[in-house]
Amino acid sequence: RKLVVKFILPTDVILADKFAADANTKTTSVEEIPDGWMGLDNGPESTKMIQKELEECKTIIWNGPMGVFEFEKFAAGTNDVAKTLAECTGKGAITII
């Protein structure tokens, strides 16, 4: 039997100019991260895409947070995906965190 495994990677990210809760932020594609900036969370389009992909999964292995969820500015991707995982699990998916 052949198993189909799909790795889901972000296409846009929330950027920060420093690793801090009060960092300046902006959203860009993963291909356009400027020098001196770092990606600290999924962008909104990536989060929507990940949520849509997860809806059809029967088994989900989540290897950790999407972003630096300890900082509120970078927690949305993690929180939104966690809520989706809870919904999927409630519908019968096997979720491993």
Side-chain angles (χ1 to χ4, degrees), residues 28-92:
T28 189
S29 75
V30 295
E31 291 90 16
E32 298 176 3
I33 299 173
D35 288 342
W37 289 76
M38 61 190 87
L40 295 186
D41 195 10
N42 281 343
E45 294 304 314
S46 292
T47 298
K48 288 177 195 171
M49 180 263 304
I50 290 166
Q51 289 173 307
K52 184 175 186 234
E53 291 287 340
L54 289 172
E55 288 175 359
E56 302 299 319
C57 293
K58 295 179 180 163
T59 303
I60 304 162
I61 301 171
W62 190 23
N63 192 32
M66 312 313 285
V68 183
F69 67 95
E70 298 88 350
F71 298 149
E72 186 175 341
K73 289 182 179 181
F74 310 108
T78 297
N79 292 335
D80 291 346
V81 169
K83 289 173 188 169
T84 300
L85 291 175
E87 292 169 6
C88 292
T89 302
K91 294 177 183 175

